[in-house]
Amino acid sequence: MAVKTLRIWAVAAILIFSMLMLKTISQYTGFDKNVGFLQFKQKVVSNPYWMAFFYIHIFSITLCLLAGLTQFSNRFLAENRVLHRVIGKIYVYNILIINVPACFVLGLFSNGGMIGITGFLLQDILWACFTVAAVSFIKKGNVPAHKKYMILSYAVTTTAITFRIIKNLIYQENRYDYELFYGLNVWASLIINLSAAYLIIRKSKRISAQS
């Protein structure tokens, strides 16, 4: 019951914040280099490669969030196996072909100094490793391991949401140093999400063992 309730709350939160992210992303459709997050990246907005990866990332990450949601419903899986595979492939290709390379480049120029850079690069590496592991295990027919690594992969995917929640709840411009807060927030988001994923995996194993 606790896992089911947690999943319901998690799905609701992800849907809400995905919609909010869409609203945030809409400000970049005019390709103005002095709006939103880009106001803090004026040193690199003149770099066409960085800008290309930035737009690739922001315009694809919400699809990644929404595609991942459908992969954790047992009912959806049972009733829509073909669709599950199609959406799963969209999720995997989105991460490995689009977002992992894009986020690696963006991570090299991350805010937060070396704390932020190392945090983002670690996220990117774990994102790729967990996703590849999930694909590898399902090809071998190991469904439990596949689910485990998909949960871990999606935990990294949703660090973008956790990051914004922490920033909106805690950050105060006149109280905290922006660069330090940003860097620490990158790490906090990753630790919180991976801890939550670990608890979900552990609880799911207990339920499976008892059934």
Side-chain angles (χ1 to χ4, degrees):
M1 182 62 71
V3 173
K4 185 176 181 180
T5 302
L6 180 59
R7 283 180 176 176
I8 292 173
W9 278 102
V11 168
I14 290 169
L15 283 173
I16 292 171
F17 280 95
S18 292
M19 296 304 103
L20 291 175
M21 284 185 69
L22 279 174
K23 182 180 179 181
T24 301
I25 289 169
S26 66
Q27 67 185 314
Y28 300 111
T29 55
F31 298 99
D32 185 348
K33 295 182 179 180
N34 195 34
V35 297
F37 176 73
L38 293 179
Q39 293 178 330
F40 300 96
K41 306 298 295 184
Q42 291 302 300
K43 291 182 179 180
V44 291
V45 292
S46 59
N47 185 322
Y49 298 106
W50 188 92
M51 289 299 296
F53 283 119
F54 172 76
Y55 286 122
I56 288 171
H57 172 60
I58 62 169
F59 291 140
S60 64
I61 190 60
T62 302
L63 176 61
C64 195
L65 286 166
L66 295 176
L69 273 180
T70 65
Q71 304 304 294
F72 302 103
S73 170
N74 292 328
R75 183 175 179 179
F76 180 87
L77 174 59
E79 297 177 357
N80 305 276
R81 289 186 177 276
V82 174
L83 187 57
H84 169 79
R85 292 192 188 97
V86 171
I87 295 176
K89 287 180 180 179
I90 292 173
Y91 175 82
V92 169
Y93 292 149
N94 191 322
I95 290 174
L96 298 181
I97 297 177
I98 299 174
N99 273 291
V100 164
C103 288
F104 183 82
V105 173
L106 296 176
L108 292 174
F109 298 91
S110 169
N111 291 337
M114 285 306 299
I115 297 175
I117 291 172
T118 53
F120 268 121
L121 293 181
L122 177 60
Q123 281 187 17
D124 203 46
I125 292 169
L126 291 176
W127 206 14
C129 290
F130 291 151
T131 306
V132 169
V135 173
S136 177
F137 279 116
I138 198 60
K139 286 184 175 181
K140 296 176 183 177
N142 190 335
V143 175
H146 169 70
K147 288 183 177 179
K148 171 185 174 181
Y149 282 99
M150 276 298 291
I151 290 171
L152 290 169
S153 171
Y154 199 61
V156 179
T157 301
T158 53
T159 54
I161 292 176
T162 307
F163 181 93
R164 284 161 179 78
I165 291 174
I166 294 173
K167 181 181 177 182
N168 291 333
L169 289 178
I170 300 176
Y171 180 69
Q172 297 177 29
E173 187 175 357
N174 60 349
R175 189 173 182 180
Y176 300 111
D177 177 77
Y178 177 78
E179 286 291 307
L180 179 59
F181 183 91
Y182 193 102
L184 293 176
N185 194 3
V186 172
W187 282 91
S189 302
L190 180 61
I191 292 170
I192 290 170
N193 281 29
L194 290 182
S195 297
Y198 171 77
L199 292 175
I200 291 172
I201 293 168
R202 186 176 178 181
K203 189 71 175 180
S204 297
K205 283 183 177 179
R206 287 181 180 177
I207 294 173
S208 299
Q210 292 171 0
S211 59

